[in-house]
């Protein structure tokens, strides 16, 4: 089968589209014919070596398609089921072996491509707004990269929960998309100091929570945007990792909380996975949550997908389509 493998860390050119042996499902695993693979920033970290992995490896940890074979002892899904998943590497491929307990059946009304687009970024936006800091009316939040894959979904879910949303983006085109997703105010953080602008917008009060996926470039000023006892949710590092820092800063800025969460800890049991994925899928089916598929590229163009993501040239989801 065709797959996109990494043999050594480096730039997008390290993503090699090549023939590899078909994977065979073992106990508790299912073989999924991938119809769409989701591209995520974590795929970039694995490619560059920021998150170390064993090489060679097929990149991509999100996908959707049809179950075509089962290993022994699988009860969660059956051959022919339409499924989506995240959390196991190997989705930049025509076929992938996935632990059956990670697979979620796609309901009528959610397309396979939507399934590939919602598992990682959708469930992330869900846990951030519903569990890490359960937003509600009376809360204000700052969402960095508000027109990104996670960002557009987080703005929508924060609004569904009744919060005030202030977003940051790099261009006016992205600002329009963030507003469409429900952001009440949008700051162009490459042109303006977002800290000063946020203080102006909140009359100096700050926000209850900052959702910061940008990391190095935004972290310090994000802390300054929080209200007393607010929560800093550092969930990514698109601009680079945050350097070591002194916890005393949290005291000085108003007894702040800091968390560095990851999705796996919020879908740690099958029950929680099905509940979280189920709610996101329900919202998509009901039209309450809109998935923006920014681009669908053939699997052979994985390198181009990474270039766009790293160049901040995307707004929403990029999908890779095997066989296209
Ligand atoms: P995005 O679609 O959000 O793409 C990244 C965005 O970050 C860019 O579009 C850009 O938006 C912004 N950005 C700011 N500075 C930079 C920079 N120097 N280089 C590149 N981008 C920059 O990606 P995802 O939605 O896939 O992921 C967003 C972040 O969330 C990532 O850091 C990812 O690792 C993290 N994440 C964490 C999870 C978790 O559970 N902890 C789960 C899922 C994602 P703009 O142009 O508007 O500045």
């Amino acid at each position: 089968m065709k797959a996109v493998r990494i043999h050594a860390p480096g730039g997008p050119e390290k993503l090699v589209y090549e023939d590899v042996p078909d994977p065979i499902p073992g106990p508790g695993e299912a073989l999924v014919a991938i119809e769409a693979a989701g591209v995520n920033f974590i795929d970039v970290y694995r490619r560059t070596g920021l998150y170390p992995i064993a090489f060679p490896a097929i990149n991509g940890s999100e996908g959707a398609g049809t179950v075509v074979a089962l290993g022994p002892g699988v009860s969660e899904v059956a051959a022919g089921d339409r499924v989506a998943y995240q959390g196991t590497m190997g989705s930049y491929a025509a076929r992938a072996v996935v632990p059956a307990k990670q697979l979620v059946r796609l309901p009528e009304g959610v397309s396979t491509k939507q399934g590939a687009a919602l598992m990682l970024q959708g469930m992330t936006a869900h846990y951030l707004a519903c569990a890490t800091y359960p937003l509600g009316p009376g809360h204000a939040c700052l969402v960095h990269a508000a027109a990104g894959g996670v960002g557009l979904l987080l703005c929508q879910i924060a609004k569904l929960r009744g919060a005030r949303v202030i977003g940051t983006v790099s261009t006016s085109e992205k600002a329009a998309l963030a507003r469409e997703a429900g952001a009440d105010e949008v700051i162009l953080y490459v042109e303006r100091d977002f800290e000063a602008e946020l203080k102006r917008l909140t009359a100096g009060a700050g926000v209850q929570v900052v959702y910061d996926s940008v990391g190095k470039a935004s972290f310090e000023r994000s802390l300054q945007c929080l209200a007393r006892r607010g929560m800093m949710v550092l969930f990514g590092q698109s601009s680079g990792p945050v350097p070591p820092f002194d916890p005393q800063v949290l005291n000085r800025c108003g007894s702040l909380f800091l968390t560095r969460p990851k999705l796996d800890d919020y879908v740690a049991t099958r029950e929680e996975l099905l509940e979280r994925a189920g709610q996101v899928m329900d919202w998509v089916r009901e039209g309450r949550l809109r998935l923006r598929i920014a681009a669908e590229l053939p699997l052979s163009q994985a390198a181009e997908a990474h270039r766009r993501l790293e160049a901040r040239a995307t707004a929403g989801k990029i999908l890779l389509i095997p066989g296209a």
Side-chain angles (χ1 to χ4, degrees), residues 53 75 101 114 126 138 141 160 163 182 185 208 230 234 244 267 289:
I53 51 166
S75 57
K101 63 179 177 8
Q114 286 176 319
H126 187 280
C141 64
L160 278 176
E185 287 102 4
Q208 279 67 47
L234 177 68
V267 287
L289 187 64

Side-chain angles (χ1 to χ4, degrees), residues 45 121 124 127 149-150 170 174 189 235 237-238 261 263 312:
Y45 303 148
Q121 294 169 340
T124 296
Y127 86 71
V150 175
S170 63
K174 288 187 175 186
Y189 57 178
F235 72 97
Q237 45 200 6
S238 305
L263 175 58
R312 305 168 78 160

Side-chain angles (χ1 to χ4, degrees), residues 32-37 63-67 82 93-94 112-113 116 319-322:
V32 180
I34 302 288
E35 286 159 42
T66 304
V67 175
R82 266 185 342 114
T112 311
K113 284 178 180 170
L319 294 178
L320 293 174
I321 312 297

Side-chain angles (χ1 to χ4, degrees), residues 61-280:
S61 58
E62 180 182 44
T66 304
V67 175
V68 288
L70 298 174
V74 171
S75 57
E76 293 86 350
V77 291
D81 281 353
R82 266 185 342 114
V83 292
Y85 72 95
Q86 73 80 34
T88 291
M89 280 193 73
S91 68
Y92 287 10
R95 292 178 168 213
V97 159
V98 184
K101 63 179 177 8
Q102 287 185 350
L103 294 172
V104 177
R105 277 203 203 89
L106 290 168
E108 288 282 313
V110 176
S111 72
T112 311
K113 284 178 180 170
Q114 286 176 319
L118 67 75
M119 287 302 283
L120 204 154
Q121 294 169 340
M123 289 201 295
T124 296
H126 187 280
Y127 86 71
L128 291 172
C130 306
T132 307
Y133 191 98
L135 289 168
H139 293 149
C141 64
L142 175 62
V143 176
H144 286 308
V150 175
L152 284 174
L153 297 166
L154 185 51
C155 289
Q156 293 178 70
I157 297 175
K159 284 316 286 180
L160 278 176
R161 294 182 65 91
R164 176 184 179 192
V165 180
I166 302 173
T168 61
V169 296
S170 63
T171 67
S172 46
E173 291 76 21
K174 288 187 175 186
L177 292 169
R179 278 199 193 88
E180 261 174 50
D184 298 284
E185 287 102 4
V186 183
I187 303 168
L188 288 176
Y189 57 178
V190 288
E191 289 172 15
R192 285 163 178 252
D193 174 13
F194 72 80
E195 179 191 336
E197 201 55 15
L198 181 121
K199 285 190 175 142
R200 187 185 67 78
L201 290 168
T202 60
V207 292
Q208 279 67 47
V209 54
V210 177
Y211 295 110
D212 190 339
S213 65
V214 171
K216 188 177 174 184
S218 54
F219 180 75
E220 274 182 32
R221 281 177 297 151
S222 292
L223 291 172
Q224 307 296 332
C225 294
L226 283 161
R228 182 172 285 141
R229 287 165 29 193
M231 184 182 283
M232 173 72 184
V233 183
L234 177 68
F235 72 97
Q237 45 200 6
S238 305
S239 67
V242 173
F245 103 115
D246 176 4
Q248 189 60 22
V249 172
L250 301 175
N251 167 302
R252 267 204 306 278
C253 294
S255 303
L256 302 180
F257 296 86
L258 167 66
T259 181
R260 177 65 177 89
K262 65 177 189 299
L263 175 58
D264 288 355
D265 293 318
Y266 286 85
V267 287
T269 63
R270 175 103 182 127
E271 193 186 12
E272 193 174 20
L273 167 66
L274 294 180
E275 202 180 305
R276 205 173 293 292
Q279 181 151 46
V280 174

